[in-house]
Amino acid sequence: MIHKDHPRYESLKLRTKVVDAYKRGILADSGMIAHGRGETFDYLLGEETTSNAKKAVKAAAAALLLANKPIISVNGNTAALVPCEIVKLADHLNARIEINLFYRTPERVALIEEVLKDAGAKNILGTDHEEKALIEGLEGPRASSSKEGIYIADTVLVPLEDGDRAEALVKSGKLLITIDLNPLSRTAKTANITIVDNIVRAIPNLIDTVKELGNAQPTALHQIVKSFDNQENIMESLKIILEKHIDKVKP
Ligand code: ATP
Ligand code: MG
């Protein structure tokens, strides 16, 4: 039992969730390592939503509202940490949800499907009983995507994605939105919009912003997306990391 007064209470609570998900088979062992990498950057960023993460969330919300075929891609970490929030966001956007796993096994797909169904999701793509289409530029099982889902989507929200897949999705012409605490990961640098924040804060912020922008005119939404510069935003995250810590290391 972690005491609420512990300075790392929130972080330790998330760690417990991730370990539990691993024990239940929802998460691969490497999913715990990926979480550890995320924790490192969260620590460096002060474990709070930065002003530039808010900017990225606004651009992401605008892009998702403008999309004709938006989709939210879910992996083990996402299912472990924010299943209800993902379903809520998908409902607000009228977006589909697709299970997309780096270490795919039928058992893990079935478990994640169950987690999402328990969270209220109705029509889940990326399961094993549907027709698949191959994403160009990827090899083996990782090239597979749902024919009705990511394959035909114009805008893909894919938190915690691997760099290879992110590159292939952008090359195939999709607008790629990611959530990634490491501002220097290949995915963060490749995506059109990178929200450098913890998924547990980013998804609720996205829900709120989608609601706020829900009645905005398409021209206004286009303007928000157009004025967003991902490279600049990533630079701002790096500056925040430096500025937060530089005083502490000065002699
Ligand atoms: P890339 O392939 O893009 O270079 P990687 O191989 O370093 O990235 P992956 O394991 O492919 O990393 O993806 C995991 C990514 O998710 C990491 O960049 C990590 O910082 C990030 N991450 C982990 N947990 C969270 C979280 N809770 N919220 C946001 N991002 C997270
Ligand atoms: Mg990777």
PDB file of all heavy atoms in Angstrom, residues 136 166-174 190:
ATOM      1  N   GLU A 136       2.209  -0.799 -45.988  1.00  0.00           N
ATOM      2  CA  GLU A 136       3.442  -0.854 -46.787  1.00  0.00           C
ATOM      3  C   GLU A 136       4.639  -0.384 -45.960  1.00  0.00           C
ATOM      4  O   GLU A 136       4.521   0.538 -45.151  1.00  0.00           O
ATOM      5  CB  GLU A 136       3.273   0.078 -47.985  1.00  0.00           C
ATOM      6  CG  GLU A 136       3.828  -0.518 -49.262  1.00  0.00           C
ATOM      7  CD  GLU A 136       3.596   0.409 -50.423  1.00  0.00           C
ATOM      8  OE1 GLU A 136       2.417   0.570 -50.813  1.00  0.00           O
ATOM      9  OE2 GLU A 136       4.581   0.964 -50.904  1.00  0.00           O
ATOM     10  N   ALA A 166       5.363   4.083 -36.853  1.00  0.00           N
ATOM     11  CA  ALA A 166       5.013   5.501 -37.012  1.00  0.00           C
ATOM     12  C   ALA A 166       5.503   6.006 -38.372  1.00  0.00           C
ATOM     13  O   ALA A 166       4.756   6.669 -39.103  1.00  0.00           O
ATOM     14  CB  ALA A 166       5.629   6.325 -35.883  1.00  0.00           C
ATOM     15  N   GLU A 167       6.730   5.649 -38.723  1.00  0.00           N
ATOM     16  CA  GLU A 167       7.284   6.092 -40.010  1.00  0.00           C
ATOM     17  C   GLU A 167       6.450   5.554 -41.172  1.00  0.00           C
ATOM     18  O   GLU A 167       6.138   6.269 -42.117  1.00  0.00           O
ATOM     19  CB  GLU A 167       8.741   5.629 -40.149  1.00  0.00           C
ATOM     20  CG  GLU A 167       9.706   6.597 -39.469  1.00  0.00           C
ATOM     21  CD  GLU A 167      11.103   6.024 -39.286  1.00  0.00           C
ATOM     22  OE1 GLU A 167      11.470   5.053 -39.989  1.00  0.00           O
ATOM     23  OE2 GLU A 167      11.825   6.556 -38.423  1.00  0.00           O
ATOM     24  N   ALA A 168       6.079   4.269 -41.085  1.00  0.00           N
ATOM     25  CA  ALA A 168       5.302   3.658 -42.167  1.00  0.00           C
ATOM     26  C   ALA A 168       3.922   4.315 -42.284  1.00  0.00           C
ATOM     27  O   ALA A 168       3.425   4.538 -43.389  1.00  0.00           O
ATOM     28  CB  ALA A 168       5.161   2.160 -41.931  1.00  0.00           C
ATOM     29  N   LEU A 169       3.314   4.641 -41.156  1.00  0.00           N
ATOM     30  CA  LEU A 169       1.979   5.259 -41.196  1.00  0.00           C
ATOM     31  C   LEU A 169       2.034   6.655 -41.810  1.00  0.00           C
ATOM     32  O   LEU A 169       1.176   7.028 -42.604  1.00  0.00           O
ATOM     33  CB  LEU A 169       1.366   5.315 -39.783  1.00  0.00           C
ATOM     34  CG  LEU A 169       0.955   3.969 -39.194  1.00  0.00           C
ATOM     35  CD1 LEU A 169       0.574   4.105 -37.725  1.00  0.00           C
ATOM     36  CD2 LEU A 169      -0.217   3.358 -39.966  1.00  0.00           C
ATOM     37  N   VAL A 170       3.069   7.415 -41.462  1.00  0.00           N
ATOM     38  CA  VAL A 170       3.203   8.764 -42.043  1.00  0.00           C
ATOM     39  C   VAL A 170       3.476   8.653 -43.543  1.00  0.00           C
ATOM     40  O   VAL A 170       2.878   9.375 -44.347  1.00  0.00           O
ATOM     41  CB  VAL A 170       4.318   9.571 -41.329  1.00  0.00           C
ATOM     42  CG1 VAL A 170       4.648  10.850 -42.081  1.00  0.00           C
ATOM     43  CG2 VAL A 170       3.873   9.922 -39.907  1.00  0.00           C
ATOM     44  N   LYS A 171       4.341   7.702 -43.913  1.00  0.00           N
ATOM     45  CA  LYS A 171       4.654   7.512 -45.343  1.00  0.00           C
ATOM     46  C   LYS A 171       3.412   7.145 -46.138  1.00  0.00           C
ATOM     47  O   LYS A 171       3.299   7.475 -47.312  1.00  0.00           O
ATOM     48  CB  LYS A 171       5.705   6.402 -45.509  1.00  0.00           C
ATOM     49  CG  LYS A 171       7.119   6.957 -45.490  1.00  0.00           C
ATOM     50  CD  LYS A 171       8.097   6.003 -46.151  1.00  0.00           C
ATOM     51  CE  LYS A 171       9.513   6.482 -45.863  1.00  0.00           C
ATOM     52  NZ  LYS A 171      10.326   5.447 -45.251  1.00  0.00           N
ATOM     53  N   SER A 172       2.478   6.423 -45.491  1.00  0.00           N
ATOM     54  CA  SER A 172       1.276   6.017 -46.222  1.00  0.00           C
ATOM     55  C   SER A 172       0.256   7.159 -46.311  1.00  0.00           C
ATOM     56  O   SER A 172      -0.865   6.962 -46.776  1.00  0.00           O
ATOM     57  CB  SER A 172       0.652   4.768 -45.596  1.00  0.00           C
ATOM     58  OG  SER A 172       0.091   5.108 -44.353  1.00  0.00           O
ATOM     59  N   GLY A 173       0.629   8.339 -45.830  1.00  0.00           N
ATOM     60  CA  GLY A 173      -0.189   9.534 -46.055  1.00  0.00           C
ATOM     61  C   GLY A 173      -1.152   9.884 -44.932  1.00  0.00           C
ATOM     62  O   GLY A 173      -1.979  10.771 -45.080  1.00  0.00           O
ATOM     63  N   LYS A 174      -1.045   9.189 -43.802  1.00  0.00           N
ATOM     64  CA  LYS A 174      -1.985   9.479 -42.715  1.00  0.00           C
ATOM     65  C   LYS A 174      -1.476  10.624 -41.846  1.00  0.00           C
ATOM     66  O   LYS A 174      -0.264  10.811 -41.727  1.00  0.00           O
ATOM     67  CB  LYS A 174      -2.162   8.231 -41.851  1.00  0.00           C
ATOM     68  CG  LYS A 174      -2.736   7.094 -42.675  1.00  0.00           C
ATOM     69  CD  LYS A 174      -2.936   5.860 -41.878  1.00  0.00           C
ATOM     70  CE  LYS A 174      -3.193   4.660 -42.759  1.00  0.00           C
ATOM     71  NZ  LYS A 174      -4.288   4.807 -43.717  1.00  0.00           N
ATOM     72  N   THR A 190       8.728  11.774 -35.726  1.00  0.00           N
ATOM     73  CA  THR A 190       8.107  11.442 -37.018  1.00  0.00           C
ATOM     74  C   THR A 190       6.658  11.921 -37.126  1.00  0.00           C
ATOM     75  O   THR A 190       6.197  12.273 -38.203  1.00  0.00           O
ATOM     76  CB  THR A 190       8.098   9.898 -37.208  1.00  0.00           C
ATOM     77  OG1 THR A 190       9.427   9.435 -37.081  1.00  0.00           O
ATOM     78  CG2 THR A 190       7.556   9.499 -38.564  1.00  0.00           C
TER      79      THR A 190
END
